[in-house]
Amino acid sequence: MSTEKKVRAILIGAGNRGTNYATLAKESCPEFELVAIADGNHVRRDYVQQMHGVPDEACYDDFHELLAKPRMADLAIIATQDKLHFEPAMMAIEQGYHIMLEKPVAPTPWECVQIAEAANKKGVFVCVCHVLRFSPFFRMIKKLIDEGRIGDIVQIMFAERVGNAHMSHSYVRGNWRNSETSSPIILAKNCHDMDMLQWLIGKKCTKVQSFGELTFFNREHMPEGAPEFCVQGCPAADSCPYDARRIYLQDRMFTEHATNKKNPTDEDILRAITETNYGRCVFQCDNNVADHQVVNLEYEGGTTVSFNMCAFNTGGRHIRIMGTKGEIVGEMGDDSVRFFDFYTRDAVRIKSSDMFTEEELDGGHGGGDRGIIRTFCDYITGNYHGNSLTPIDTSIESHLIAFAAEESRLNHTVIDMKEYKQRFLDEQK
Ligand SMILES: NC(=O)c1ccc[n+]([C@@H]2O[C@H](COP(=O)([O-])OP(=O)(O)OC[C@H]3O[C@@H](n4cnc5c(N)ncnc54)[C@H](O)[C@@H]3O)[C@@H](O)[C@H]2O)c1
C-alpha cells in the first residue's frame, strides 16, 4: 500500500455510521485525511473534529453549506439518514467527489436511478456501503463459488434473522420503524442481502414475489393497562421481553444509539427511555414496517432463491447454497462454512483463515466497516485490485429488487423485473 498519496475526505453526517467510519479510518488508513465535516449535532461533530484535528472553519452545521464550497477533497462520505441521501449525493456528484454512500441509496427507485445516472455522467465512483461484501464469511463463500467448488448454483436458502431485541430497537421504536419516514425494511435492512445474492449468483434477477406483514408489534398485542412508556409502570413489565428498563438500563443493549452518547450513564439512559421513542411501549409505536417477510426470487438460468427476514429469533444470517457439484452451508456468526463435495463425499469445515492469508485478513479487509473504508482508500490511491467494492449500477439493480419485493408484498403480485424496470422508467417520462 502506498502511503504517499493522501486521501482527502469530507464527512456528511457524523452520527453512528459517520463516527464509525471516521474512527476506523483513523485506525487503519494512514493516508486518510478528514478535511471537513457537516453535522448540526455539535456533540457528535466535535467528537469527530477532535479525533481528526479538523479546523473549526471546516466544520459546518449542514451539508448544503459544505457542498456549496468548491471541491476540497477526493472523497465524500455520506452517512445521513435514509431520506437525506439523495440531495447531498447529487450535490457531491456535481462537485466531482467520489462517494461512499450509506445504504439505502435513496428511499425511492427514481432517486436511486438518478444518482446512478448522474454519477456515470460525471465519471465519479459512488460506492454503496454494502459492508457484508467485506466480511471474511461472505468473501470465503464468494471465493469457493468463484473457484467452481460447487459447480453452478441451482438454489439458495438465505435467512436474515433480525433478532427480536434488535427489531424492537431499530424497526419498532427506532429510526427505521416507519417506511414513510425512512424506507421499507426490505430495503433498509435487506438491501444488503439482495446485493449479496446478486454478488454470489452473478446473474440478473428475473422474477420477484413476496409475502409478509407487521403481525406482532401493534396495538392488538398490547398488554391490558400498558402505559405509553415502560417507565410509567407497566403491569406486564415482569414478563415483557421488550421492557425498555430491562433492555437499555439493565442489559445495556443499544445504549449509545438510544442516547446518542459514548459510554452513557444510567442518568442518560433513563432520560432516553423517559423522553424519546426508545422508551415507548413496543405495542404503541407509530411503526409500520413488516416484522416478517419472505421473498422468492428467480435469476437468469433458472437459479431460485428463498429469502426470509424475521424478527422472532436471536439474530444472525444463515445461508445454504446448493450447486451442481456441491453444497455450502454457513452461519455468519461462526466465521466458517461447511462444504460438501458431491464427488468425494467429503464434508469439510472451512475457516476464513484457511482461504486467506493473514495479510489479506488483517490488511484492513477483515471486518465489514473497516474493510470498506480501507478498500475505498486503496481505490483512490490506485491500489485496489479486489472485487468487493460495489459499483453504483450493481447497487441500483439490487435496490430495485428490494423495491419490487415491497410492491409484491403490498399488492400480492409476482413481479417480472424487466417489466418492472420498464414500467417505472415509463412512469418517470
Ligand atoms: N451499511 C450498514 O450496514 C448500515 C448500518 C446501519 C445504518 N446504516 C445507514 O447509515 C445511515 C446513517 O445511519 P446512522 O445510524 O448513523 O444515523 P444517525 O442518525 O446516527 O446519523 C445521521 C447524522 O446526520 C446528521 N444530519 C442530519 N441532517 C443533516 C444535514 N442537513 N447536514 C449534515 N448532517 C446532518 C444528524 O445530525 C446525525 O448526526 C442511514 O441511512 C442508515 O440506514 C447503514
Side-chain angles (χ1 to χ4, degrees), residues 136-349:
F137 177 77
F138 281 113
R139 287 175 61 211
M140 183 166 49
I141 293 176
K142 173 74 174 156
K143 196 164 182 217
L144 285 168
I145 292 170
D146 287 353
E147 286 173 359
R149 305 274 283 272
I150 60 164
D152 296 329
I153 299 173
V154 179
Q155 189 168 78
I156 298 182
M157 290 161 66
F158 193 14
E160 155 69 307
R161 292 162 303 189
V162 179
N164 69 316
H166 180 199
M167 181 80 195
S168 72
H169 173 74
S170 292
Y171 301 98
V172 178
R173 292 175 163 135
N175 291 332
W176 300 277
R177 66 186 181 277
N178 192 305
S179 56
E180 297 300 316
T181 50
S182 59
S183 40
I185 192 165
I186 197 70
L187 182 71
K189 181 86 181 126
N190 306 121
C191 66
H192 282 312
D193 305 293
M194 299 302 131
D195 173 69
M196 184 46 61
L197 285 166
Q198 189 169 265
W199 194 48
L200 297 179
I201 295 170
K203 291 175 186 165
K204 278 196 189 302
C205 176
T206 47
K207 288 202 178 70
V208 176
Q209 174 205 41
S210 181
F211 301 100
E213 57 183 27
L214 172 60
T215 300
F216 184 65
F217 294 103
N218 52 29
R219 275 165 208 269
E220 224 178 285
H221 294 91
M222 185 182 99
E224 215 180 307
E228 202 182 336
F229 283 81
C230 301
V231 288
Q232 289 168 332
C234 178
D238 286 349
S239 58
C240 180
Y242 306 102
D243 177 26
R245 286 167 306 184
R246 184 150 165 254
I247 289 188
Y248 298 101
L249 259 182
Q250 183 190 307
D251 296 344
R252 297 262 160 183
M253 296 166 88
F254 320 112
T255 51
E256 291 191 354
H257 204 255
T259 58
N260 275 336
K261 283 197 164 164
K262 289 256 160 232
N263 307 315
T265 61
D266 278 1
E267 235 177 31
D268 297 325
I269 299 171
L270 198 55
R271 195 174 313 116
I273 64 173
T274 307
E275 295 173 8
T276 76
N277 266 328
Y278 293 111
R280 288 186 97 91
C281 168
V282 290
F283 305 105
Q284 303 181 60
C285 293
D286 62 342
N287 56 313
N288 73 352
V289 301
D291 54 22
H292 63 111
Q293 186 164 356
V294 293
V295 186
N296 289 327
L297 304 121
E298 181 196 75
Y299 289 75
E300 285 170 346
T303 303
T304 50
V305 171
S306 70
F307 172 76
N308 291 33
M309 180 283 296
C310 187
F312 306 99
N313 40 59
T314 50
R317 285 183 167 88
H318 175 85
I319 196 161
R320 179 178 285 263
I321 307 174
M322 295 163 272
T324 49
K325 292 183 181 170
E327 182 188 37
I328 297 168
V329 183
E331 190 70 45
M332 193 171 171
D334 292 349
D335 194 21
S336 69
V337 294
R338 193 178 63 91
F339 167 60
F340 180 64
D341 185 309
F342 295 157
Y343 182 72
T344 62
R345 297 205 186 91
D346 283 339
V348 286
R349 187 153 285 284

Side-chain angles (χ1 to χ4, degrees), residues 11-21 37-42 44-45 60-64 78-85 88 101-104 128-132 171 175-176 182-183 188-189 192 257 260 369 372:
L11 175 63
I12 292 169
N16 290 294
R17 300 298 296 171
T19 300
N20 193 33
Y21 290 128
I37 315 170
D39 197 317
N41 181 325
H42 290 192
R44 294 168 144 194
R45 197 184 71 192
Y60 303 84
D61 281 350
D62 189 283
F63 67 81
H64 293 95
I78 300 182
T80 37
Q81 274 297 342
D82 300 9
K83 291 237 172 197
L84 263 189
H85 290 179
L101 178 60
E102 257 309 350
K103 62 83 198 159
V128 180
C129 296
H130 286 308
V131 294
L132 289 185
Y171 301 98
N175 291 332
W176 300 277
S182 59
S183 40
K189 181 86 181 126
H192 282 312
H257 204 255
N260 275 336
D369 293 351
I372 199 166

